[in-house]
Amino acid sequence: MNEKTKHDRTAPAHLDPSIETVRPDLKERLADLAAQDARDNLFPQRLKTLRQELLIKQNQMAEILGVPNTTYANWEQGRSFPSVDRLPRIAAFFDVTVDYLIGANRDSVNRRILEQLAILTPEQRQAVELVLSSMNTHRN
């Protein structure tokens, strides 16, 4: 591997001027990522809160998820993080999204949804509202 290739693979995306030159639309997303990195890790607290809301002990949760007690305890204490494969199972158990578990930036997600809704025709917007209404009816 030559030095240029090595540099290209290790340079953070937000510092690579070619990305912003080629894809100026990503500039705001890169800024969101940097801000998200600067925030505290919400996963440990959310995991603990969700478990406590169901009145489940740590060792019981570890058993449910099929991990050692120490592994689960480390997740709640922020010392380690579950594998990407395990996150959807944890989210499904608590009936939340993976985005919620890991503290994804809800404002940027909501902004993108609103941008997509804004370009829909009135008929398309009505169809989306009908689908959402139907989903809420089936949950109750």
Side-chain angles (χ1 to χ4, degrees), residues 11-17 19-20 30-31 34:
H14 65 280
L15 297 179
D16 188 349
I19 291 174
E20 289 182 9
L30 293 170

Side-chain angles (χ1 to χ4, degrees), residues 51-89:
R51 176 185 58 78
Q52 289 175 335
E53 286 174 357
L54 295 178
L55 304 175
I56 298 174
K57 296 179 181 178
Q58 272 191 352
N59 64 334
Q60 293 171 317
M61 198 67 230
E63 185 177 331
I64 290 167
L65 296 173
V67 297
N69 294 346
T70 54
T71 298
Y72 184 82
N74 284 336
W75 294 347
E76 281 195 6
Q77 294 167 7
R79 291 186 188 135
S80 64
F81 194 79
S83 68
V84 172
D85 296 347
R86 199 173 298 275
L87 282 173
R89 290 184 60 213

Side-chain angles (χ1 to χ4, degrees), residues 8-121:
D8 290 347
R9 294 179 82 195
T10 60
H14 65 280
L15 297 179
D16 188 349
S18 64
I19 291 174
E20 289 182 9
T21 303
V22 175
R23 295 285 312 271
D25 58 308
L26 295 180
K27 185 175 184 175
E28 191 173 334
R29 289 187 191 178
L30 293 170
D32 286 346
L33 282 176
Q36 191 171 355
D37 288 344
R39 289 196 332 236
D40 289 337
N41 180 6
L42 294 176
F43 177 78
Q45 184 55 47
R46 287 193 174 165
L47 184 64
K48 182 177 183 178
T49 300
L50 289 166
R51 176 185 58 78
Q52 289 175 335
E53 286 174 357
L54 295 178
L55 304 175
I56 298 174
K57 296 179 181 178
Q58 272 191 352
N59 64 334
Q60 293 171 317
M61 198 67 230
E63 185 177 331
I64 290 167
L65 296 173
V67 297
N69 294 346
T70 54
T71 298
Y72 184 82
N74 284 336
W75 294 347
E76 281 195 6
Q77 294 167 7
R79 291 186 188 135
S80 64
F81 194 79
S83 68
V84 172
D85 296 347
R86 199 173 298 275
L87 282 173
R89 290 184 60 213
I90 297 169
F93 178 81
F94 290 115
D95 195 25
V96 297
T97 64
V98 171
D99 283 353
Y100 174 79
L101 274 178
I102 62 175
N105 187 337
R106 185 173 289 199
D107 292 338
S108 65
V109 172
N110 288 342
R111 184 184 68 250
R112 280 188 237 137
I113 291 170
L114 291 174
E115 288 169 357
Q116 292 299 314
L117 288 173
I119 62 173
L120 296 177
T121 66

